[in-house]
Amino acid sequence: MSSLGEVGEFGLIAAIALATRVGAGVEIGIGDDAALVAVSSGKVLITTDMAVEGVHFRTDWSSAYEIGRKCAAANLADIAAMGGVTRALVVAFAAPPQLSTEWALQLTQGINDECAVEGASVVGGDTVRGEIITISITAIGEVSPAISAPVTRTGAQVGDIVYLLGQTGASAAGLEILSRGLGIAPGLIALHKVPKPPYESAREFAALGATSLCDVSDGLVADLGHIADASGVTIDIDVDALDISELFAAAHELEVDPFEWALGGGEDHAFTGTLPPQAVPPAGARAIGIVCPRGEGAVVSAGIALGHLGHDHFSA
Amino acid sequence: MSSLGEVGEFGLIAAIALATRVGAGVEIGIGDDAALVAVSSGKVLITTDMAVEGVHFRTDWSSAYEIGRKCAAANLADIAAMGGVTRALVVAFAAPPQLSTEWALQLTQGINDECAVEGASVVGGDTVRGEIITISITAIGEVSPAISAPVTRTGAQVGDIVYLLGQTGASAAGLEILSRGLGIAPGLIALHKVPKPPYESAREFAALGATSLCDVSDGLVADLGHIADASGVTIDIDVDALDISELFAAAHELEVDPFEWALGGGEDHAFTGTLPPQAVPPAGARAIGIVCPRGEGAVVSAGIALGHLGHDHFSA
């Protein structure tokens, strides 16, 4: 099997271009100084997300294909969290020259397959040498035609209902199971390796008049905190409304509080946001709290601030 | 002085947002899941470029500010090389927790100042933990209103004149001077640390009817080779037409052939491209060759193929 050093940068780019599906709106794809993508709205949503070997993923736990799907999902979810749909991705990739070309192509395949879920295309990238595998993806999208403007974190109003789309905690649970070297709960491990963001539900939620919407990547309490801070409100959540049924058996086995996973675990790429009380939520949305006037603490439950949960990327 | 680990991810993002200039067209900037930028044309140019500590830059040779300017320039130049102008940048940044916050803010300032040259705005990013500083920038632009379509590498026609905009070789010369620990030629060292791409000249060249255009980042011969291969032609260059006057004294001192720098040195972010023979070149463009029917070799001079020059990022 050839290494990146053997096929060289331009050989790798040619192989990636061949392996890459080109979808609608791509007028110039991989291979020039820049790509050209048509967006009907004239307004572009942009987000970027970087993953570093040993920090965000381990090559002994996840396959290149799984890492590709997860890295792409993190970006696609951020665009969906604005009520948008991704049109194009660019991928910057650092790797040591001894890495196998097959690994890089499997990564590409994973990125492509996750893009296909949203109808997006990989349109360019950069491949460079580095001791540690680093994957930096930028997604370009546009707001769904069903809404007039993107849904931000700033619009939550007192009295709005807080909803959760998708499950939280599975990724953190899967990570802990892997960390302890256990063979239980393959479903949770699979969701740690490849999250399943409910992209379409996020856009439905936006179209129903969402006043705020956010991807749950730092942990539910942390991301609700972003909405609360940006909107100048306090969010009061009912922890009993969270569905921990899938976490329960593993939490019992590991002697962990499943609510630590559900409230504090990151990387699930679920969505959370707010709707006015009269709005009808989409199927699958779970009401988990209410928006209150700003008090002490961004996110509370039964009067207790939940600010200690969540993830800071520079903390030890 | 605080470290990234002390201020934390969200403290750093807040400081970066404060330090960031917001220009025209930015409807949603730093701080949400994605940014929103208006593009009048409805078509978006996208490019990405990653720089790794120890491979693309050294923190003992270049300041954070200089590294920021150079990383931004690499992206802005790629957009200009399509005849475009950059509207927005997103910056993904990996760094160890012990890095000083001041370093990250100086990097931000450098990125901002280079963006200001082109009227672009930093609209978002990602900050993550990593042992090695890694900077991945994606630029979003649109084609200049003066041209109907982006200028790619594919359109060079037999008989077209090949032009160089800007100088090549200075970055490679500056790098070699630094590598040998010499104190000569501060102008070349400065151009290695912060290139000065002639962005506006590239757009003028495109508007004059360029049949091809490319950023010179891999080295002049390598990048002309990209045009030759993409267009199915051979490019015959006259090496005596290259201006090596600024390289001459340093080359003599280091006992190096200055044409090795001018033909093979990367990272100058000059531009090269082709115009039909009847077209009037813009001021400052230097005619360096002619487009010939495809023969043996992509780039030749006086009948000799120059294919051995140029840079492969995975080679030793």
Side-chain angles (χ1 to χ4, degrees), chain B residues 62-282:
Chain B
S62 293
S63 69
Y65 178 83
E66 290 166 338
I67 294 165
R69 287 204 73 141
K70 184 168 185 166
C71 289
N75 284 275
L76 297 164
D78 276 335
I79 297 290
M82 302 294 280
V85 58
T86 302
R87 300 295 180 213
L89 247 64
V90 290
V91 181
F93 173 60
Q98 63 270 27
L99 187 75
S100 81
T101 307
E102 181 65 17
W103 200 97
L105 290 175
Q106 286 294 323
L107 177 80
T108 302
Q109 192 59 51
I111 294 169
N112 265 285
D113 284 1
E114 193 69 24
C115 278
V117 174
E118 284 283 83
S121 306
V122 176
V123 299
D126 191 21
T127 56
V128 302
R129 186 159 52 89
E131 283 311 296
I132 296 167
I133 299 172
T134 305
I135 302 153
S136 184
I137 298 183
T138 299
I140 311 296
E142 61 185 317
V143 173
S144 157
I147 57 175
S148 57
V151 183
T152 68
R153 302 168 177 180
T154 65
Q157 301 292 319
V158 173
D160 284 353
I161 310 298
V162 180
Y163 290 93
L164 177 63
L165 309 170
Q167 303 287 328
T168 61
S171 182
L175 175 61
E176 191 149 341
I177 293 163
L178 283 168
S179 302
R180 297 202 198 177
L182 302 175
I184 64 168
L188 297 175
I189 291 173
L191 283 169
H192 171 70
K193 292 178 177 175
V194 181
K196 302 284 179 215
Y199 305 113
E200 194 57 42
S201 295
R203 286 187 290 271
E204 281 173 33
F205 189 82
L208 287 165
T211 50
S212 69
L213 185 56
C214 187
D215 167 41
V216 185
S217 54
D218 292 327
L220 181 59
V221 169
D223 287 307
L224 283 173
H226 296 152
I227 290 176
D229 289 341
S231 300
V233 297
T234 286
I235 287 176
D236 190 345
I237 63 172
D238 174 11
V239 293
D240 292 333
L242 295 172
D243 177 9
I244 58 157
S245 57
E246 288 182 30
L247 306 174
F248 198 79
H252 183 76
E253 179 102 6
L254 274 63
E255 296 182 333
V256 168
D257 178 353
F259 287 102
E260 287 279 331
W261 287 337
L263 292 167
E267 299 197 336
D268 287 299
H269 301 294
F271 299 95
T272 190
T274 51
L275 281 179
Q278 68 277 13
V280 178

Side-chain angles (χ1 to χ4, degrees), chain A residues 9 35 37 39 42 44 46 138 313, chain B residues 9 35 37 39 42 44 46 138 313:
Chain A
E9 182 189 10
V37 176
V39 288
V44 188
I46 313 163
T138 299
H313 289 124
Chain B
E9 180 189 12
V37 175
V39 288
V44 189
I46 313 162
T138 299
H313 289 124

Side-chain angles (χ1 to χ4, degrees), chain A residues 9 27 32-37 39 42-47 50 82 126 129 136 138 140 152-153 312-313, chain B residues 9 27 32-37 39 42-47 50 82 126 129 136 138 140 152-153 312-313:
Chain A
E9 182 189 10
E27 305 202 350
D32 218 299
D33 290 292
L36 186 71
V37 176
V39 288
K43 295 185 182 183
V44 188
L45 288 167
I46 313 163
T47 186
M50 182 182 264
M82 303 294 280
D126 191 21
R129 186 160 53 88
S136 183
T138 299
I140 311 297
T152 69
R153 301 168 179 180
D312 185 308
H313 289 124
Chain B
E9 180 189 12
E27 304 202 351
D32 217 299
D33 290 293
L36 186 71
V37 175
V39 288
K43 295 185 181 183
V44 189
L45 288 167
I46 313 162
T47 188
M50 182 182 265
M82 302 294 280
D126 191 21
R129 186 159 52 89
S136 184
T138 299
I140 311 296
T152 68
R153 302 168 177 180
D312 185 308
H313 289 124

Side-chain angles (χ1 to χ4, degrees), chain A:
Chain A
M1 190 182 297
S2 63
S3 71
L4 296 188
E6 284 157 4
V7 301
E9 182 189 10
F10 301 114
L12 177 62
I13 292 169
I16 288 173
L18 276 175
T20 299
R21 194 184 62 88
V22 175
V26 180
E27 305 202 350
I28 300 172
I30 292 172
D32 218 299
D33 290 292
L36 186 71
V37 176
V39 288
S40 54
S41 61
K43 295 185 182 183
V44 188
L45 288 167
I46 313 163
T47 186
T48 192
D49 200 84
M50 182 182 264
V52 178
E53 179 184 4
V55 178
H56 302 88
F57 60 86
R58 281 178 54 163
T59 56
D60 54 340
W61 284 354
S62 293
S63 69
Y65 178 83
E66 290 166 338
I67 293 164
R69 287 204 74 139
K70 185 168 184 166
C71 288
N75 283 275
L76 297 164
D78 277 335
I79 297 290
M82 303 294 280
V85 59
T86 302
R87 300 294 181 213
L89 246 64
V90 289
V91 182
F93 172 60
Q98 62 271 25
L99 188 74
S100 81
T101 307
E102 182 65 18
W103 200 96
L105 290 176
Q106 286 294 323
L107 176 80
T108 301
Q109 193 59 50
I111 294 169
N112 265 285
D113 284 1
E114 192 68 26
C115 278
V117 175
E118 282 284 82
S121 306
V122 176
V123 298
D126 191 21
T127 55
V128 302
R129 186 160 53 88
E131 283 311 297
I132 296 166
I133 299 172
T134 305
I135 301 154
S136 183
I137 297 183
T138 299
I140 311 297
E142 60 186 316
V143 174
S144 158
I147 58 175
S148 58
V151 182
T152 69
R153 301 168 179 180
T154 63
Q157 302 290 319
V158 172
D160 284 353
I161 310 298
V162 180
Y163 291 93
L164 176 63
L165 310 170
Q167 302 288 328
T168 61
S171 181
L175 175 62
E176 192 147 342
I177 293 164
L178 283 168
S179 302
R180 296 203 198 178
L182 301 176
I184 63 167
L188 298 175
I189 291 174
L191 283 169
H192 171 71
K193 292 178 177 177
V194 180
K196 303 281 180 215
Y199 304 113
E200 193 58 40
S201 295
R203 285 186 291 271
E204 282 173 33
F205 189 81
L208 287 165
T211 50
S212 69
L213 185 57
C214 187
D215 167 41
V216 185
S217 54
D218 292 327
L220 182 59
V221 169
D223 287 308
L224 283 173
H226 296 153
I227 290 176
D229 289 341
S231 300
V233 298
T234 286
I235 287 176
D236 190 345
I237 64 172
D238 174 10
V239 294
D240 292 331
L242 295 171
D243 176 10
I244 57 157
S245 57
E246 290 183 29
L247 306 174
F248 197 79
H252 183 76
E253 177 101 8
L254 273 63
E255 296 183 333
V256 168
D257 178 354
F259 287 103
E260 287 279 331
W261 289 336
L263 292 168
E267 300 196 334
D268 287 298
H269 301 294
F271 300 94
T272 189
T274 51
L275 281 178
Q278 69 276 15
V280 179
R286 177 177 290 271
I288 60 164
I290 190 163
V291 179
C292 303
R294 183 72 181 197
E296 282 189 40
V299 184
V300 301
S301 182
I304 297 165
L306 298 174
H308 65 291
L309 292 162
H311 188 63
D312 185 308
H313 289 124
F314 289 119
S315 63

